[in-house]
Amino acid sequence: MAEMMYWQGILRAHDEEMARDPLVFAMGEDIGVAGGTYKATSGLFAKYGEQRVIDTPISENSYTGIGVGAAMIGARPIVEIMSVNFAWLAMDQLMNNAAKIHYMSGGRIRCPFVMRVPGGTAHQLGAQHSARMEKVFMGISGLRVVTPATPRDAYGLLKSAVRCDDPVVIIEHESMYNLKGEIPDEEFFTPLEGVEVMRPGKDVSIFAYNISVHWALDAAQKLAQDYGIDAEVVDLRALKPMDRAGIAASVRKTHRAVVVEEDEAPVGVGSEVMAILNEECFFDLDAAPVRVHALDVPIPYNRHLEKAAIPNAGEVVAAVRKMLGR
């Protein structure tokens, strides 16, 4: 095992896949000479050259379209959108071309296209650079959507996405690029489907994804130390398709569920998990499931208001204690 930062895991995956397959290339704003806003492509321009590490104009729809078209004829592009808010500008290419072409061509054309998008709140970047768009991507048939919570998964999910013949959106988090964690020295792949139990427990299941996994783990530690509550933390990780069986398996063990997300509540990941709980686990629940989520407001620039707008580990602890009456 080597300790690496989140961005280093992404960089390593890029490097390995580009060295393996000359049809893998990267493109996006400032990813070449500058090495990427979060350093996730640093050094690749010097190693692979301007034809495989492509600096683009500020035109998300155009370079996403170039990537989608290249994927349709056999290349394997990794397109980076500098901030998930800007992915709105690329939605025509992503939704109407990348996600649809396999079906519309009767299975004759595949689109092995990867889009990497950093999102979430990140230290006063303001409302136009702090979006959480998981719910949008999840609503597009034909896309796979994954979101790594650790450096290990940042590496493993990108490796799997590049090898996948479907279009994959990888949602990273702007606050986690310097997060450290162990990554095995040998090559490995994180599945694009399925949950991961990050901490086993017996009293309550806490479902989370992306940065909220870390709030859940912190909360679980405090619940165990201070209140004797044994919480299971489940990283949803693959948001589309979502692992209904994995979610149900955890709840059938603990009989209680709390869903934690950085996003607002309406029509989100938490809503989908709640629907699964109702459809799959209704008679296994000993209490009504609870959601912990952001306020339904644009993310403020003021740092105190920004902090108040999004959930934290303390709110997760409070939700679990209320559910269990402790």
Side-chain angles (χ1 to χ4, degrees):
M1 293 280 186
E3 185 176 71
M4 303 179 77
M5 292 184 182
Y6 192 92
W7 69 266
Q8 291 174 315
I10 298 168
L11 175 60
R12 176 181 156 190
H14 272 90
D15 192 17
E16 290 179 0
E17 291 304 298
M18 292 181 74
R20 177 190 63 85
D21 185 351
L23 292 176
V24 176
F25 70 93
M27 99 192 316
E29 298 162 18
D30 290 337
I31 71 160
V33 176
T37 305
Y38 300 101
K39 300 190 290 188
T41 53
S42 55
L44 297 179
F45 184 84
K47 186 172 183 178
Y48 295 103
E50 63 182 8
Q51 291 189 342
R52 295 187 64 199
V53 183
I54 304 169
D55 278 321
T56 68
I58 302 174
S59 181
E60 287 79 6
N61 199 50
S62 63
Y63 66 77
T64 298
I66 292 170
V68 170
M72 289 181 187
I73 59 171
R76 292 187 178 268
I78 306 170
V79 169
E80 177 184 316
I81 303 292
M82 187 180 289
S83 173
V84 72
N85 294 68
F86 309 150
W88 284 111
L89 300 169
M91 289 303 288
D92 179 35
Q93 295 291 348
L94 189 65
M95 179 167 63
N96 288 323
N97 291 324
K100 304 289 194 297
I101 190 62
H102 183 60
Y103 172 77
M104 294 181 68
S105 68
R108 290 173 294 176
I109 300 175
R110 304 305 299 250
C111 189
F113 169 85
V114 178
M115 176 182 280
R116 293 181 41 246
V117 287
T121 54
H123 311 303
Q124 293 185 272
L125 292 184
Q128 293 178 330
H129 293 74
S130 302
R132 289 86 69 192
M133 283 177 57
E134 297 87 353
K135 65 180 73 175
V136 177
F137 298 126
M138 288 171 63
I140 301 174
S141 298
L143 292 184
R144 291 179 179 269
V145 183
V146 295
T147 178
T150 65
R152 187 181 191 278
D153 280 350
Y155 166 85
L157 286 172
L158 180 53
K159 294 274 290 184
S160 296
V162 172
R163 306 282 184 102
C164 182
D165 287 334
D166 302 322
V168 182
V169 176
I170 303 177
I171 303 171
E172 299 157 5
H173 199 284
E174 295 177 3
S175 293
M176 293 201 300
Y177 284 105
N178 290 329
L179 177 72
K180 292 182 178 180
E182 290 186 336
I183 299 179
D185 295 330
E186 69 275 7
E187 181 181 53
F188 74 93
F189 301 85
T190 302
L192 297 176
E193 299 182 18
V195 301
E196 181 178 8
V197 177
M198 304 292 283
R199 181 189 190 280
K202 60 181 176 59
D203 294 329
V204 60
S205 298
I206 304 177
F207 297 102
Y209 64 94
N210 202 287
I211 197 169
S212 65
V213 170
H214 301 282
W215 304 336
L217 289 169
D218 290 345
Q221 183 176 1
K222 185 170 181 61
L223 287 164
Q225 290 177 347
D226 296 351
Y227 305 103
I229 297 172
D230 187 16
E232 177 155 295
V233 176
V234 180
D235 180 5
L236 295 170
R237 192 165 63 187
L239 302 183
K240 185 182 181 72
M242 194 171 281
D243 184 6
R244 299 173 70 94
I247 291 169
S250 180
V251 172
R252 287 175 183 140
K253 179 171 65 171
T254 66
H255 305 289
R256 297 175 180 85
V258 174
V259 186
V260 186
E261 59 184 326
E262 187 190 24
D263 202 355
E264 304 96 334
V267 201
V269 177
S271 303
E272 184 66 18
V273 176
M274 295 290 272
I276 291 171
L277 295 174
N278 181 61
E279 293 166 0
E280 304 285 349
C281 311
F282 184 82
F283 294 105
D284 297 298
L285 290 165
D286 289 342
V290 172
R291 286 191 285 175
V292 178
H293 52 80
L295 300 179
D296 192 3
V297 297
I299 294 298
Y301 174 77
N302 178 282
R303 65 188 180 93
H304 299 293
L305 295 177
E306 178 186 63
K307 187 175 180 180
I310 61 174
N312 54 54
E315 292 181 32
V316 180
V317 169
V320 171
R321 289 185 61 202
K322 182 178 180 181
M323 174 179 284
L324 273 71
R326 302 188 195 178

